[in-house]
Amino acid sequence: MGVLMINKSIVKKNILIILFMVIVWSCSSKTVADSTDELDITKAHYILSKMTIDDKVGQMTQVARDYLESYEDIKTYRLGSILSGGGSAPPNNSVKGWREMTSKMQDYALSTPLGIPLLYGSDAVHGHGNLRNAVIFPHHIGLGAANNEKLVEEIAKITALECAATGVNWNFNPCITVPQDIRWGRTYEGFSSNPEIVSRLGVAEVKGLQYNWNSNISVLACLKHFVADGGTNKGIDRGNSIISDKELEEIHLYPYYEGIKANAGSVMASFSKINSVPMHQNESLLTGRLKNDMNFQGLLVSDWAALTLLPGSSKDQIAAAINAGIDMVMVPDKYKEFINNLKELVKEGRIPEKRINDAVLRILTTKIKMGLFENPKADPELESLVGSDSSREVAREAVAQSLVILKNDKVLPMYVGQRVLIVGEFANDLGAQCGGWTTTWQGKLGNNNNTGVTILKAVNEALGKQNVVYLKDSRMLNKTDLSEFDLIIYVTGEEPYAEMNGDNPYPSLSRVDMKIIDTLDKSGKKTLLLLISGRPLLLDGAEEKVDAIVASWLPGTEAMGITDVLMGWKEAKGRLPYSWPADSKGFVQGLTSDKYLYPIGYGLSL
Ligand code: BGC
């Protein structure tokens, strides 16, 4: 008995030694990250082995909350993801309202046999735009002008926090498009027409968004739209990019290499076509390039109802997209039909089960890596941090850094004691400042019950209200006595827009603008044209008629950043992220610089 006991303990000891040696060996030959990755993959394989075809197909289905017939369907159909499209929010559009909605949805997902949590997606492309009173940062075009990676990373961290507080754990951002034609309505979603800038800032945004994985702020980033969405002919949204391999490689694919190296966990396919082939069925780019050559291990999601734009029947469309490499489909509406079709396609052998397993593994691994199983729901503790003063300070700083001074003939800096007339309805409109993807899909004029500082308010604060007169209706300018003013600021630009509606064959100042600028010219006063726009606008000679021109892009909710620079309190650091056309030929980017009034990189200091 005693001998036996000794033998047992020796065996035990030996096993421990062997185990120890294995651990030492694995630690020396692999990084901790490698071993964690392997564990995650093993866990994903284990879950997959327990899944029925219904479970699998459900995971591959993303439904828009507006089309979800009942929360029970999350359980019945084993849905993998829900999204809020542009403007979609719970009736109680507050952090609490969101949290309650997303928590309830997670409860249904967690009550399925395998308890797989949901990914909840939204387009927080400049802050959590669907949430009332969120901090809204400058759109990417402004951040491209600021060209500051640290700042972008900080913004992304705040955005992740505000998303997480509402239960949104998937942000369809960064948009790393590289727009080559400013007629495109999504130009402002791109940091720049220069792929190097897009790439650096895109990486910073991925890092910031995914910074807190495995905590109560686990948010998945999404590189979009793969690929060459910004290369379409004449800048037509969802159009055809007729491009050479070299352009594809050096302009449009370039930021993806970097974004994927930075571990971006998901990618969204583009509505557009490349050389007439729709991206959603482009196997050689989706699977060949993205997944194989670039070694993208994350999940590839379709764009909103993008499959329905492919040729053939619904089933043909689904087969083409999934076989090309799409892992999850943003259906977003007729999900029961989609699920049925997908199951039939597998049964008929038109989609190999191997492809389905690969898609589901990618979805599961992503959810596991983020720590979603441990933190599926929004943590109520985060609520008090949303819209905080310190976050608004970061936004204000971003606005200051994004401002580009295009002309300054002894107007700037402004000074305390100066008498200013500020003209135009955009001067007092948060909706105009924020642009698309804010409160609604396309964005809209008005304050929309959001919190923020308008340009008028910022100027009032900077100069003292008693020194500022506001003329909302700019058409009244020629009936106004201007003698008492030292400076007239005209605020104008583009009304909010987003994808599709934002395409404009001739982005320029309007006729009304030109009339007002003529009046300014004749006034003999110092004049400043302050532009709010999602892209450069043709000035059609206005540049000769005013004394100063400042591009503020779509600055978001914190306009004090504008006055910080106009008053000379902060350095004027912003530089053009796109070339500013001299005439319509210059809408296209990357031409010789004589086509442009101000080339990319231009911007005055004070
Ligand atoms: C846009 C995407 C967006 C999606 C979900 C689509 O129309 O192209 O950028 O992420 O909607 O809102």
Side-chain angles (χ1 to χ4, degrees), residues 58-169:
Q59 281 302 306
M60 294 170 69
T61 308
Q62 185 182 53
V63 178
R65 66 166 279 282
D66 317 67
Y67 293 104
L68 185 66
E69 286 172 25
S70 73
Y71 284 15
E72 189 69 35
D73 278 356
I74 295 174
K75 184 174 172 191
T76 312
Y77 295 95
R78 316 281 205 249
L79 300 179
S81 180
I82 307 287
L83 87 145
S84 275
S88 170
N92 171 8
N93 190 349
S94 65
V95 175
K96 186 163 178 267
W98 276 88
R99 189 176 64 233
E100 285 172 357
M101 173 188 76
T102 50
S103 300
K104 201 163 141 200
M105 288 181 176
Q106 291 291 9
D107 281 335
Y108 282 93
L110 298 173
S111 69
T112 55
L114 292 167
I116 304 170
L118 288 167
L119 278 167
Y120 195 102
S122 191
D123 298 279
V125 295
H126 63 153
H128 195 345
N130 280 338
L131 168 69
R132 281 261 152 85
N133 298 321
V135 184
I136 301 299
F137 297 91
H139 265 295
H140 275 179
I141 191 169
L143 300 182
N147 197 3
N148 177 342
E149 290 136 88
K150 270 201 181 142
L151 179 72
V152 170
E153 192 173 335
E154 211 175 334
I155 290 171
K157 284 182 188 167
I158 297 168
T159 305
L161 181 143
E162 301 212 344
C163 284
T166 60
V168 169
N169 50 31

Side-chain angles (χ1 to χ4, degrees), residues 234-402:
K234 297 187 180 149
I236 291 169
D237 195 35
R238 307 180 173 196
N240 190 12
S241 296
I242 306 159
I243 47 176
S244 65
D245 285 353
K246 189 170 150 54
E247 278 171 293
L248 176 62
E249 191 66 33
E250 291 175 6
I251 300 176
H252 303 286
L253 278 171
Y254 180 84
Y256 284 91
Y257 284 99
E258 300 304 317
I260 288 160
K261 267 194 244 153
N263 277 329
S266 71
V267 170
M268 187 185 292
S270 177
F271 277 123
S272 54
K273 300 175 181 172
I274 290 192
N275 300 326
S276 302
V277 180
M279 270 313 301
H280 278 77
Q281 62 178 54
N282 197 327
E283 189 179 349
S284 79
L285 283 169
L286 297 181
T287 298
R289 210 45 189 279
L290 178 69
K291 290 183 170 176
N292 297 342
D293 299 350
M294 295 188 179
N295 194 27
F296 172 63
Q297 301 287 332
L299 86 91
L300 175 60
V301 66
S302 82
D303 204 340
W304 179 277
L307 274 56
T308 62
L309 305 178
L310 299 178
S313 67
S314 301
K315 276 171 79 174
D316 295 339
Q317 295 167 338
I318 299 169
I322 306 286
N323 285 329
I326 298 288
D327 301 313
M328 183 185 279
V329 176
M330 195 185 289
V331 181
D333 48 358
K334 296 177 190 146
Y335 54 97
K336 294 180 189 171
E337 191 183 311
F338 168 79
I339 285 171
N340 246 339
N341 283 337
L342 182 51
K343 280 201 298 193
E344 274 181 30
L345 286 162
V346 179
K347 223 192 238 158
E348 291 160 11
R350 287 180 64 191
I351 300 179
E353 188 129 15
K354 198 167 155 227
R355 177 72 268 276
I356 300 288
N357 288 345
D358 171 56
V360 176
L361 268 179
R362 286 167 178 272
I363 295 164
L364 292 175
T365 312
T366 306
K367 291 181 176 181
I368 294 166
K369 275 191 184 171
M370 293 169 66
L372 218 57
F373 283 80
E374 290 75 25
N375 287 294
K377 294 186 181 185
D379 178 352
E381 299 259 303
L382 297 176
E383 181 170 353
S384 64
L385 304 173
V386 174
S388 70
D389 288 350
S390 63
S391 301
R392 292 189 187 277
E393 267 306 307
V394 175
R396 175 176 177 171
E397 177 61 30
V399 174
Q401 293 192 23
S402 70

